Amino acid sequence: MSVATASGVVPGVMRSPWVAFAMRRLWRILISFWVLLTATFLMIHLIPGDPVRSALGFNAPIEVVKSEQQALGLNDPLWLQYLHYVQNLFSGHLGVSIATKQSVSQIIGDRLPATLEVSILAFVLVMAIAIPIGVFMAVTTRGGQRRSRELAFTSTSVLLATIPEFLTAVALVYVFGVQLRWFPVAGRGDAGSYVLPVVSLAIGPAAVLARIVRVEMLTVLGNDFIRTARAKRLPARLVYGRHALPNALTATLTVGGMMLTGLIAGTVLVENVFAWPGLGSMIVQSILGKDYPVVQGIVLIYGVGVLLVNLIVDVSLAVLDPRSAIREN
């Protein structure tokens, strides 16, 4: 390849909308990560009082308190503490628990799989419930048909969406764990122990997403290309499954990604109801025990998870609808 040709290729590549899209997303995620990192660092310094004395107790010897403060670097200037925090973070060291003297990285590594399992299973359940129900309700109630069915669906979905996850969890424990004794009420054991936590997390988001799928599906069913497909006498499964559903999933994917981040946050309360050995129950224990290095580490992991989910959703939307990436300024 000649020099002139090579020099012409590079500007052409840089002008590509996909390159511009990638650069925008990379810049945004870097800024967001810096804000998250700084916020988690400042968390321990904005809390009134001495976190070390709070964690060790006010009767702890002053020598022990000072030694712990020195070990955590709390006696250094704030800018130096921030620099050490960033250096340790990129070296994979998130600090040491004040209470257990265990590495925060090890604590997170031990408990993260349990939180991921229940979150991902709940997300899969949400999609498995919401998309078929939303499509079915859109097909059967389009054009004002079956008003009673539409009213029942709307009322039920609104009711389920407004109930907090922990109240749903308590109700499920009482009915299916205490009264019927179908499933265990606490702990992470066999497959049955996953049922109640996963269902508790999935019910509310599934109700919200089903309504969104129905609305998006109704909008797509009113488009000209759907009427053309019907005029060609295509089978209903092709009209709804191949032509309508993919076009309705763009907004569904966006909301689904937001719900996945909400599911991750919802594990904090649900894990405590079911004594689930994940990050959610650990962060509550750490807050109550004033173990702020552990709280910092877990909050950082939750934040990174949200950033990654948003990035995956953005990329998926760009692949499904390239025009959205090209139109964006």
Side-chain angles (χ1 to χ4, degrees):
M1 181 182 293
S2 65
V3 176
T5 304
S7 62
V9 170
V10 174
V13 172
M14 294 305 295
R15 287 195 297 267
S16 169
W18 287 104
V19 174
F21 169 80
M23 296 300 293
R24 286 195 303 267
R25 289 300 179 270
L26 178 61
W27 175 249
R28 290 179 186 179
I29 198 168
L30 289 176
I31 293 296
S32 300
F33 180 73
W34 175 76
V35 172
L36 172 65
L37 185 151
T38 304
T40 55
F41 168 77
L42 292 175
M43 177 193 309
I44 196 170
H45 299 279
L46 296 178
I47 297 174
D50 184 354
V52 173
R53 182 166 289 279
S54 300
L56 297 179
F58 292 98
N59 296 325
I62 187 64
E63 296 80 6
V64 176
V65 174
K66 289 183 177 180
S67 175
E68 192 65 37
Q69 290 173 340
Q70 184 67 31
L72 292 174
L74 297 178
N75 296 328
D76 297 332
L78 189 61
W79 67 267
L80 185 58
Q81 293 183 47
Y82 183 74
L83 180 61
H84 289 161
Y85 177 72
V86 174
Q87 290 175 339
N88 291 333
L89 179 65
F90 283 99
S91 65
H93 182 62
L94 297 177
V96 177
S97 168
I98 299 176
T100 65
K101 306 304 180 185
Q102 189 179 8
S103 169
V104 175
S105 301
Q106 183 178 350
I107 293 174
I108 292 175
D110 292 340
R111 289 180 170 262
L112 181 59
T115 297
L116 289 178
E117 286 175 359
V118 73
S119 300
I120 294 174
L121 288 174
F123 180 72
V124 172
L125 183 61
V126 167
M127 292 298 180
I129 293 174
I131 293 178
I133 291 179
V135 171
F136 174 77
M137 293 304 302
V139 172
T140 58
T141 62
R142 70 183 188 277
Q145 305 178 64
R146 301 177 178 87
R147 300 291 299 183
S148 58
R149 178 180 297 180
E150 178 184 355
L151 180 61
F153 168 74
T154 303
S155 303
T156 303
S157 60
V158 169
L159 176 63
L160 293 176
T162 55
I163 301 176
E165 291 93 343
F166 73 93
L167 287 181
T168 303
V170 171
L172 291 177
V173 166
Y174 177 75
V175 175
F176 297 101
V178 177
Q179 295 296 322
L180 298 177
R181 298 185 179 180
W182 288 357
F183 304 105
V185 298
R188 176 186 177 214
D190 57 12
S193 65
Y194 287 77
V195 174
L196 296 184
V198 169
V199 173
S200 301
L201 283 172
I203 288 179
V208 175
L209 191 60
R211 293 189 65 190
I212 294 173
V213 172
R214 175 181 175 272
V215 171
E216 291 297 320
M217 194 71 175
L218 287 174
T219 302
V220 172
L221 291 177
N223 290 338
D224 292 338
F225 69 90
I226 296 296
R227 286 191 285 268
T228 302
R230 288 202 187 100
K232 293 180 178 179
R233 299 185 180 276
L234 294 178
R237 60 182 177 83
L238 294 181
V239 174
Y240 300 129
R242 180 177 297 179
H243 296 282
L245 183 58
N247 289 277
L249 286 182
T250 302
T252 303
L253 181 61
T254 304
V255 178
M258 296 172 60
M259 286 185 174
L260 180 56
T261 61
L263 288 174
I264 296 174
T267 58
V268 174
L269 295 176
V270 171
E271 285 184 9
N272 281 275
V273 173
F274 293 100
W276 194 260
L279 293 180
S281 58
M282 188 65 202
I283 194 173
V284 173
Q285 296 174 20
S286 301
I287 291 172
L288 295 177
K290 306 295 190 298
D291 198 347
Y292 294 116
V294 178
V295 177
Q296 274 186 311
I298 295 177
V299 170
L300 182 64
I301 293 300
Y302 272 115
V304 170
V306 171
L307 292 179
L308 289 177
V309 169
N310 289 335
L311 178 63
I312 292 172
V313 170
D314 286 343
V315 173
S316 301
L317 287 175
V319 172
L320 290 176
D321 186 8
R323 294 170 300 175
S324 64
I326 296 173
R327 287 196 303 262
E328 185 178 342
N329 296 321

